[in-house]
Amino acid sequence: MASGDGGGSDSGGDLNRWTTLKVKSVYENPWIKVDEHDVLTPAGTPGIYGVVTFKNLAIGVVPIDDRGRVTLVGQYRYALGLYSWEIPEGGGDPQLPPVVSAQRELREETGLEAAHWHDLLTMHPSNSVTTEIAHLFVAWGLTQGEAEPEETEDLALSTVPLATAITMIADGRITDSLTVAALLQLQVMLLSGTLPPGLAEILQRAG
């Protein structure tokens, strides 16, 4: 396969054909920074590129109970003006292991604690304009405690079978990128036999 086809594992550093001439900070708050880059495009023409840098990691977790059900969080997303059903998710301190932030988010949004954690995937949710990195997990062996949502969060909880959550993706009821990626990756791992044995047994019994 030729270099640059997207089928290899090269980080791409030697494939960069962009030239950065100048970077100007446009906006910053505690969560994001927006820079405008004066560039030469790969064709050698002048242009500008807006880059949004996220100061936190994106974190998400699929909590699976002993009956193979997924806990989803419902909330109104201000930027879109839409209500959204999602896995528990939020921001994580880049200085901490991502799983530590995932454990905190799960506890805060749902009150759940999990005995077992497993990586699902790492992804770039919007790589054309942002630097955001997301770390997604699946958790099981759940115990219920008290939720501690932030003051800006007005959350509803719904527990559904994994198959129902997958259907919600297919029919458009779930559109959040982290949730779609995490649930589909979980389904792929289940079908391919690559889940940890204890979790696989739970989901197979529920299936």
Side-chain angles (χ1 to χ4, degrees):
M1 179 174 290
S3 176
D5 284 347
S9 59
D10 195 297
S11 64
D14 59 341
L15 302 178
N16 181 20
R17 300 293 182 262
W18 293 81
T19 300
T20 303
L21 302 174
K22 184 175 66 174
V23 178
K24 177 177 67 175
S25 180
V26 176
Y27 174 78
E28 186 169 1
N29 67 29
W31 303 278
I32 63 170
K33 181 166 72 80
V34 182
D35 293 326
E36 184 175 277
H37 294 230
D38 288 332
V39 299
L40 296 178
T41 72
T45 56
I48 60 171
Y49 211 115
V51 177
V52 181
T53 298
F54 282 77
K55 299 183 179 181
N56 293 313
L57 299 173
I59 301 292
V61 52
V62 183
I64 302 290
D65 69 13
D66 290 342
R67 294 169 57 185
R69 300 178 303 176
V70 178
T71 296
L72 297 174
V73 177
Q75 60 183 309
Y76 184 84
R77 287 300 188 182
Y78 181 86
L80 292 177
L82 297 173
Y83 200 82
S84 178
W85 285 102
E86 308 166 3
I87 58 174
E89 59 186 46
D93 186 339
Q95 303 304 314
L96 294 176
V99 70
V100 173
S101 297
Q103 291 166 344
R104 173 186 50 77
E105 280 295 330
L106 180 62
R107 181 177 60 255
E108 287 180 355
E109 294 195 354
T110 69
L112 293 170
E113 304 265 1
H116 309 290
W117 290 80
H118 189 76
D119 292 311
L120 283 176
L121 75 157
T122 298
M123 60 178 284
H124 299 96
S126 183
N127 64 6
S128 64
V129 293
T130 83
T131 63
E132 188 174 31
I133 300 173
H135 297 272
L136 305 178
F137 301 88
V138 60
W140 68 104
L142 305 179
T143 54
Q144 184 68 60
E146 289 294 324
E148 302 171 355
E150 298 177 4
E151 63 179 15
T152 58
E153 294 178 321
D154 182 15
L155 308 179
L157 301 181
S158 178
T159 303
V160 301
L162 176 60
T164 299
I166 298 298
T167 298
M168 292 173 71
I169 294 172
D171 65 20
R173 283 177 288 167
I174 290 178
T175 60
D176 172 69
S177 63
L178 302 192
T179 304
V180 171
L183 291 173
L184 292 183
Q185 174 73 346
L186 182 62
Q187 181 78 341
V188 167
M189 293 174 73
L190 175 63
L191 294 175
S192 63
T194 55
L195 283 176
L199 178 58
E201 291 167 4
I202 292 171
L203 291 174
Q204 287 165 356
R205 286 199 307 270

